[in-house]
Amino acid sequence: MPNYEKLRAQAEESWRPIAEPQRPLIKVGLTTCSRAAGAQETLDAVRGELAGRGPSTGSGQALEADVMVTGCWGLCYAEPIVEVARPGRPATLYGKVTADQVPQLIERAVAADGIASELALAVLAEEPLDGVQPLGSLEFFRLQVRRLMANSGVVDPERIDHYIARGGYEGLAKALSMTDEQVIGEVSESGLWGRGGAGFPTGRKWDFLRTAQNTPKYMICNADEGDPGSFVNRNLMESDPHLIIEGIIIGGYATGASHGFVYIREEYPLPAERMEKAIQQARQRGLLGESVLGSGFAFDLEVVRGAGSYVCGEETGLISSVEDSRGMPKIRPPFPAQAGVFGKPSNVNNVESFASVPLILRHGAQWYASMGTEKNKGTKMFSLSGQVQRVGILEVPFGTPMSDVVLGAAGGPPEGGALKAVQPGGPLSGIIPASDIDIGLEPDPFRERGMLMGSGGLVALDDSNCIVDLAIYFEWFAEDESCGRCTTCFAGTRRLLEILRRIAAGRGRSSDPEIMRLLADTMRYANCAHGQAAPTAVMSMFRFFEDELNEHLYNKRCPAKVCRDLVRYEVIHHSDRLPVAEAICPTQAVVRENGRYRIDQGKCVKCDACREQAPYAIAVVD
Ligand SMILES: Cc1cc2nc3c(=O)[nH]c(=O)nc-3n(C[C@H](O)[C@H](O)[C@H](O)COP(=O)(O)O)c2cc1C
Ligand code: SF4
Ligand code: SF4
């Protein structure tokens, strides 16, 4: 029978060459975001370069180094990232290492045993080294408390030994020595609540399943992560899959569940691949199966793929989808703990909720609760995107000011732009104005503003965005993704969208705000949170951006110059780029008369092609 100490000792053996390398070790982060930036090509180039310089080639002085794949540090803006570790010295992280830069990186950082300073991002040390700053002093890192992300970028996510050697599955071993009620007590005491958006206390939810009478019971991990701009769950699955698996097994033990499902959206192929591999490895090590760690507790786990529907992230829609039924949210009660998958008691938790559990068991509830605020304990991962200088993923204690994250860590909008708003946690969460950027990242300040903090996406929007246009996007998304069960939801979102589009077209009516408020009130009676929360962005617009809305409604102006029917293109300067603009215009609206250019408004379809070619000469005016 497997025994945790034995597993740990064996794992430490295979981790030692990574932790204390005896020859150069090159780590390349390989995740969805880094692949998009060319990390696979960088990795191939590293392998190719080393093969070309290896002992078997007989080329000059042979170069020997090990290569390893890791997950993601969260520094998406600096991908592809390559770490070079050399014996007896702190490792160095290099950023934006494209395949063609690999030969010079290897020459300088490995062969010459120096530093490739122009690519160096940070050293993994407390103090600067060779003029390179420590990782912790990077703007993106300064605020972070990496508990959930402790292994991200550090371990090979496809090697269970790396996880175990760094304390993985210790929480499970501890849990198995406790009673189910004690485990739930520990989770409750930590203050953990669900990270999927609804914020329900995890311990309490688990107790519903534990006390359910029917069997078998199911544990379900919600990895649907459908909110545009949210990619924290993806990052965890790709970087540290065993942390999630360990949490699910502990949940199974605490509730009496015998089987688990990890529901992963279709658009996440790499997370699914890594979770599948990790499950297989856990099975091989006796961490899943007939007798988990020899305890007699039987639990197994499988990956189920979604088909790309947003409402399949809603727990009852997800349960239908796991059953291979149409993924539509159901009417509750019965709640999943009474009748979930195949009518049996089930529990759904978000990826990050499960990932927090092993840490709570390993270090204790008190340790977990030592971070955060009075009401919200622990840390939270956030993905940062939109108009920011540094896109990425970070982990901060609850209550960290949003300004420190969006303006500090992410650097705010690129030069020339000013922050207008932040869209937190998905299209149902609302839009927070830049004037409120100092609020703490925890649910309460968002709730006080009629919004939701959501599951961790923070999308920054600069002043080139129009509030009506944004509301149109969010209502379009809600309407498009509505499952169609409730008239309040599918017709309500459709109606909101029609009104908003009319306002953007300059045909708004003074009665529109009242009608939209009435619709929002009615939609609160929709079956699930999708319909109920669909008008949140519109309500944010009323609350925080009323002047801008009124400009559209009453003055038929779009101050951000985005709504196409409320703007026109004009030639404002002469430029030698104007003939290019004339040539590219698809409707021959850029016309030359008596040696001067003008835009024929009757022909212009506002496609922006001319302005892209002649930005100094052609402007959008309202
Ligand atoms: C339309 C809709 C989409 C949702 N999508 C997700 C999702 O992608 N991931 C998630 O964890 N929760 C999502 N939720 C929330 C789930 O219904 C559920 O509350 C959550 O998975 C419970 O896990 P937690 O208690 O750990 O937060 C969604 C809810 C709604 C209404
Ligand atoms: S509120 Fe919308 S998404 Fe939810 S069940 Fe009703 S129609 Fe479907
Ligand atoms: S915006 Fe498009 S259609 Fe209008 S003038 Fe420019 S290129 Fe032509």
Side-chain angles (χ1 to χ4, degrees):
M1 276 298 135
N3 154 304
Y4 180 70
E5 275 66 41
K6 267 194 205 153
L7 283 183
R8 179 81 176 252
Q10 184 189 335
E12 280 168 1
E13 277 298 300
S14 60
W15 175 245
R16 196 160 299 122
I18 314 293
E20 299 155 22
Q22 297 305 305
R23 59 183 197 170
L25 170 65
I26 303 173
K27 298 183 180 179
V28 182
L30 206 58
T31 51
T32 301
C33 48
S34 60
R35 272 182 174 177
Q40 183 64 56
E41 290 75 11
T42 299
L43 175 65
D44 294 344
V46 168
R47 289 192 169 131
E49 185 68 17
L50 291 175
R53 288 164 165 254
S56 57
T57 60
S59 63
Q61 202 181 353
L63 193 62
E64 288 189 38
D66 294 310
V67 181
M68 180 185 138
V69 166
T70 65
C72 169
W73 283 98
L75 304 162
C76 306
Y77 67 94
E79 295 289 356
I81 291 178
V82 175
E83 178 186 329
V84 177
R86 290 164 300 170
R89 253 179 298 168
T92 306
L93 285 190
Y94 294 95
K96 297 192 178 172
V97 184
T98 51
D100 58 328
Q101 288 166 323
V102 165
Q104 60 140 327
L105 173 69
I106 291 191
E107 176 55 37
R108 291 172 58 195
V110 184
D113 204 19
I115 292 269
S117 358
E118 64 287 351
L119 292 174
L121 194 62
V123 281
L124 304 186
E126 298 296 317
E127 299 295 328
L129 187 78
D130 298 331
V132 183
Q133 59 185 329
L135 184 63
S137 70
L138 287 188
E139 204 70 61
F140 202 83
F141 250 77
R142 209 168 285 163
L143 301 171
Q144 295 202 48
V145 177
R146 288 165 74 99
R147 291 174 161 186
L148 294 157
M149 293 181 77
N151 283 335
S152 297
V154 178
V155 301
D156 180 343
E158 299 194 2
R159 290 176 65 180
I160 190 170
D161 280 341
H162 289 190
Y163 179 70
I164 296 176
R166 288 174 55 87
Y169 290 106
E170 190 183 321
L172 173 63
K174 267 198 193 162
L176 294 173
S177 69
M178 297 158 74
T179 66
D180 51 1
E181 279 178 276
Q182 283 170 336
V183 174
I184 290 180
E186 195 73 16
V187 172
S188 295
E189 200 191 323
S190 74
L192 178 69
W193 46 259
R195 305 300 193 227
F200 197 83
T202 306
R204 188 129 57 96
K205 199 151 134 181
W206 284 12
D207 213 38
F208 294 149
L209 188 65
R210 186 187 68 82
T211 51
Q213 295 304 312
N214 210 345
T215 54
K217 299 179 186 178
Y218 296 107
M219 265 283 150
I220 306 164
C221 175
N222 189 342
D224 197 50
E225 200 170 48
D227 293 328
S230 296
F231 40 101
V232 295
N233 292 176
R234 171 171 69 67
N235 176 275
L236 263 185
M237 287 188 281
E238 290 177 348
S239 301
D240 203 10
H242 286 285
L243 185 66
I244 305 154
I245 292 171
E246 185 182 352
I248 303 172
I249 305 173
I250 295 172
Y253 174 73
T255 57
S258 55
H259 197 88
F261 300 97
V262 185
Y263 185 88
I264 305 179
R265 65 196 311 228
E266 182 57 25
E267 298 90 334
Y268 278 3
L270 186 61
E273 194 185 307
R274 293 218 165 133
M275 290 299 287
E276 296 263 19
K277 275 193 188 149
I279 288 171
Q280 274 172 25
Q281 290 175 359
R283 243 182 240 134
Q284 283 159 5
R285 297 295 166 98
L287 292 154
L288 283 171
E290 285 304 306
S291 178
V292 172
L293 278 176
S295 65
F297 160 59
F299 189 80
D300 211 346
L301 194 53
E302 67 183 284
V303 168
V304 177
R305 302 302 302 275
S309 155
Y310 182 66
V311 293
C312 282
E314 193 281 336
E315 60 182 11
T316 58
L318 185 152
I319 286 169
S320 301
S321 182
V322 169
E323 292 168 341
D324 251 353
S325 308
R326 187 171 163 185
M328 288 169 85
K330 290 183 186 140
I331 292 163
R332 292 176 296 184
F335 289 93
Q338 301 158 304
V341 178
F342 309 119
K344 300 293 182 186
S346 306
N347 174 84
V348 181
N349 275 123
N350 173 260
V351 165
E352 202 179 332
S353 315
F354 277 123
S356 304
V357 169
L359 305 177
I360 294 168
L361 268 293
R362 195 193 309 168
H363 302 287
Q366 297 292 334
W367 170 86
Y368 187 82
S370 65
M371 280 281 156
T373 62
E374 191 53 37
K375 276 187 169 173
N376 301 291
K377 306 294 185 192
T379 55
K380 174 85 191 79
M381 289 170 68
F382 291 94
S383 50
L384 287 149
S385 61
Q387 280 128 357
V388 285
Q389 296 182 42
R390 290 180 285 274
V391 169
I393 302 156
L394 45 61
E395 181 180 357
V396 290
F398 276 112
T400 301
M402 186 161 63
S403 49
D404 288 359
V405 170
V406 174
L407 302 177
E415 236 180 271
L419 187 75
K420 175 170 186 161
V422 176
Q423 201 273 307
L428 308 180
S429 300
I431 306 166
I432 199 132
S435 53
D436 279 351
I437 191 71
D438 285 325
I439 62 168
L441 286 168
E442 57 182 326
D444 313 73
F446 289 86
R447 237 178 262 135
E448 285 158 19
R449 288 162 176 77
M451 302 174 52
L452 300 164
M453 189 186 79
S455 59
L458 292 175
V459 182
L461 302 157
D462 73 9
D463 53 2
S464 65
N465 291 279
C466 160
I467 195 66
V468 175
D469 189 58
L470 288 170
I472 288 175
Y473 169 73
F474 294 126
E475 286 320 313
W476 165 79
F477 183 91
E479 190 251 3
D480 198 49
E481 294 290 346
S482 166
C483 82
R485 185 189 286 278
C486 329
T487 313
T488 35
C489 172
F490 79 78
T493 49
R494 171 79 51 92
R495 196 76 191 94
L496 282 173
L497 188 57
E498 282 167 7
I499 295 172
L500 289 165
R501 282 185 171 151
R502 194 159 41 65
I503 293 172
R507 289 182 280 108
R509 301 172 194 146
S510 55
S511 56
D512 285 340
E514 201 192 324
I515 295 173
M516 286 196 281
R517 283 181 203 276
L518 192 64
L519 278 166
D521 268 353
T522 313
M523 289 167 74
R524 282 192 291 125
Y525 299 98
N527 170 44
C528 83
H530 182 80
Q532 292 158 10
T536 314
V538 172
M539 299 313 284
S540 301
M541 177 175 74
F542 288 143
R543 188 163 176 167
F544 301 115
F545 302 93
E546 200 174 9
D547 290 349
E548 194 177 342
L549 170 66
N550 287 343
E551 280 297 310
H552 287 76
L553 264 178
Y554 302 114
N555 298 331
K556 312 301 176 200
R557 276 191 67 233
C558 173
K561 301 188 181 79
V562 170
C563 297
R564 293 207 315 180
D565 289 320
L566 301 181
V567 298
R568 58 185 199 284
Y569 283 73
E570 293 283 8
V571 175
I572 54 163
H573 293 296
H574 181 73
S575 153
D576 55 9
R577 297 290 301 163
L578 281 168
V580 185
E582 181 185 11
I584 205 163
C585 177
T587 58
Q588 287 81 48
V590 181
V591 287
R592 189 161 182 245
E593 281 170 356
N594 305 324
R596 299 183 71 84
Y597 282 92
R598 69 174 178 84
I599 307 289
D600 182 337
Q601 301 299 332
K603 286 184 177 170
C604 175
V605 292
K606 298 165 188 172
C607 70
D608 206 44
C610 58
R611 203 189 53 84
E612 278 176 12
Q613 294 300 325
Y616 170 74
I618 296 177
V620 185
V621 294
D622 66 331

